Amino acid sequence: MPDLAPFGVARRPKAAPQSTLVFGQNGLLPTDPAWESFQVALRILAGGGFTSRLMKSVREERGLTYGIGAGLDLLFGRALVIGNVQTANASVGEVWNLIRSAWTEMAANGPTEAEVADALAFLGGSLPLQFTDSRRTAGLLLNLRQTGRAPDWLAGRPARLAAIDRARVAEAAARVLKPEALVLAVAGEPVGL
C-alpha cells in the first residue's frame, strides 16, 4: 500500500474561532490476521469515547476539545485510520503534538492489561447492539459485504476476541501505528503547526 506520509500537513484557511483537524495513516485490511487485534489497539487509543487515551489526554486533562476519535475505514480498497477533532485555533499545535505523542506511546509500549480487558468487553458486548434496528443491521451486512465476509463470520467473533491478549494487541499496535507517517489536514486558522 502506498505511503501517505508525503501528504504531510495540509492547511485550508478558513476564518473561524476553531480549526477542524482530520488526521490519519495507513491501516490494516480486514484480511490481515492482526485486523481484530488492531481494532482493540485502536479502540484503546482513539475509539473508546471517554475511555480512549486521546479523549483523556486532549479533553479530560486539558479541556482542548469536546471530542476526539479515530477509526479504521476502507476506502477504494485501502485501509485507513482516520480521526478528527475540533479545537481553538490557538490550541492546534498542542493538540497535534498530543495526538502524535499518544500514537508514539501506543506503538512503543502497547496497552495495559486493564485497557485490553475493557476494550474486549466493549467489542464483544456491542455486537448485539448492531441488530437493534433495521438501519444498523443493514449497515452491518453492508460492512460484511465490503470486507468480503459471509454473515456467519459473526458467529466466530466471540472466540476470536477471546483469543486476543495484551501481547497480540501490542504487536499489532507496534506494527501498524507509525507516528512519523501521520498526516494532517486542517481547516481554520491554526496556530503552532
Side-chain angles (χ1 to χ4, degrees):
M1 187 177 307
D3 188 12
L4 293 179
F7 181 79
V9 175
R11 296 173 183 89
R12 175 72 175 167
K14 180 167 177 53
Q18 290 193 330
S19 289
T20 298
L21 291 72
V22 177
F23 56 92
Q25 68 151 91
N26 288 328
L28 281 184
L29 288 170
T31 54
D32 192 294
W35 185 81
E36 282 175 309
S37 296
F38 183 64
Q39 288 280 5
V40 176
L42 197 53
R43 169 98 187 141
I44 293 164
L45 175 62
F50 282 96
T51 64
S52 79
R53 288 182 179 187
L54 282 178
M55 185 68 97
K56 287 177 185 174
S57 174
V58 178
R59 179 180 172 160
E60 289 183 16
E61 294 172 9
R62 292 171 183 85
L64 299 175
T65 189
Y66 285 110
I68 183 171
L72 193 55
D73 286 329
L74 292 176
L75 184 65
F76 305 116
R78 295 183 64 148
L80 301 170
V81 177
I82 302 289
N84 65 72
V85 60
Q86 288 184 315
T87 191
N89 290 321
S91 303
V92 170
E94 182 179 1
V95 169
W96 182 229
N97 287 333
L98 290 168
I99 292 167
R100 289 182 300 169
S101 177
W103 233 256
T104 300
E105 169 65 23
M106 179 63 90
N109 301 315
T112 66
E113 293 283 355
E115 287 174 324
V116 172
D118 287 347
L120 288 171
F122 174 84
L123 292 170
S126 66
L127 182 61
L129 299 176
Q130 299 307 307
F131 299 98
T132 56
D133 61 53
S134 58
R135 182 188 57 82
R136 287 179 186 223
T137 303
L140 179 60
L141 292 173
L142 176 61
N143 181 269
L144 289 172
R145 177 77 178 221
Q146 289 172 325
T147 57
R149 295 183 170 128
D152 63 358
W153 177 85
L154 294 172
R157 186 158 166 84
R160 289 191 306 275
L161 290 175
I164 294 174
D165 60 12
R166 183 200 170 284
R168 286 178 65 183
V169 176
E171 181 181 313
R175 180 178 145 215
V176 180
L177 295 174
K178 305 293 181 201
E180 70 280 1
L182 273 170
V183 298
L184 174 66
V186 184
E189 298 176 331
V191 175
L193 286 179

